[in-house]
Amino acid sequence: MFYRGYGDGSGSREMGAKRQRVVDQGPSFFGATPAGTSFMYNQPTYAYVGQPPPFPVVRLRGLPFDCTDSDVAEFFRGLDIIDILFVHKGGNKFSGEAFCVLGYPLQVDFALQKNRQNMGRRYVEVFRSTRQDYYKAIAGEVSEYRSVSSPRRSYARARSYDEGKESAEHTGMLRLRGLPFSAGKDDIMEFFKGYGALSEGSVYILTNSEGRPNGEAFVEFESAEDSKAAMEKDRMTLGSRYIELFPSSVEELKEAASRGR
């Protein structure tokens, strides 16, 4: 799970547009505060006169090793989460640490109030962090992914995983897992550019019971051939995340949508 656009190579440029908008545009990138959000989370107009606002990111330590995006989102319930970056170490093992980018600098103060509160049976430490530390972690994740994606990784495990997907029947529908919470339909359409004509009506972003994105989506292609070809994008990056793709169906979309209500 990582972002892009911080190196000189073409790969980093390809990974860059969305996170670069965060850098270039500042708080305006995050959009309007959702309806129903408490006024205490709104960006004050007077707080950073004459200086740029700080980058709204916190670092978490001591997370359960089976922690998911949804667990972090629930932990910070009520805050606007833009991105969650899980940090891995040797062998792609989860370190128990993560970075969480929030919608507004003021929300960092509220996130810090969760310091030493429990997630499951473990208490989680929450620290103020910086843009530089976040970018450094991104670079580390890129390096880690390339390492475990080398021929030295477990070939048998990778082959079994891939063959399962290859043998699945294609109906023209793909399920995406691991999306950045900030990803919109236009980002997903750009991700699948070149795999048939897609419109906003063919992209379905799933939400939780609060109406916030849960990191999953479905995309309906024009044909089964297009969706099968699009599987080439499996485990490629969108934003800071590796996106997993799975052949799916309209029935699975309906079932998943009903669970989020």
Side-chain angles (χ1 to χ4, degrees), residues 165-228:
K165 290 186 177 183
E166 289 174 1
S167 63
E169 180 182 359
H170 279 267
T171 65
M173 182 78 74
L174 291 183
R175 178 167 65 92
L176 290 70
R177 187 171 68 188
L179 288 166
F181 291 129
S182 56
K185 291 188 176 185
D186 56 336
D187 299 303
I188 295 173
M189 291 164 61
E190 180 65 24
F191 183 72
F192 287 118
K193 189 174 182 179
Y195 296 94
L198 293 177
S199 65
E200 289 193 359
S202 58
V203 179
Y204 309 88
I205 297 177
L206 300 185
T207 58
N208 59 23
S209 58
E210 295 182 335
R212 297 174 183 269
N214 68 2
E216 296 193 14
F218 287 78
V219 176
E220 187 173 10
F221 292 82
E222 289 187 311
S223 67
E225 290 73 23
D226 286 341
S227 69
K228 188 171 184 177

Side-chain angles (χ1 to χ4, degrees), residues 90-110:
N92 202 33
K93 294 181 179 179
F94 178 43
S95 66
E97 296 191 10
F99 288 82
C100 184
V101 181
L102 301 165
Y104 304 97
L106 184 62
Q107 293 191 348
V108 169
D109 295 326
F110 292 99

Side-chain angles (χ1 to χ4, degrees), residues 123-160:
Y123 77 83
V124 177
E125 296 178 280
V126 183
F127 305 91
R128 194 182 302 272
S129 191
T130 65
R131 184 197 308 262
Q132 289 75 21
D133 286 344
Y134 172 58
Y135 288 175
K136 188 175 180 180
I138 290 168
E141 289 300 292
V142 173
S143 176
E144 180 69 22
Y145 175 72
R146 287 174 178 167
S147 172
V148 300
S149 296
S150 72
R152 293 190 295 272
R153 76 175 183 168
S154 173
Y155 174 72
R157 180 180 176 184
R159 183 177 64 181
S160 174

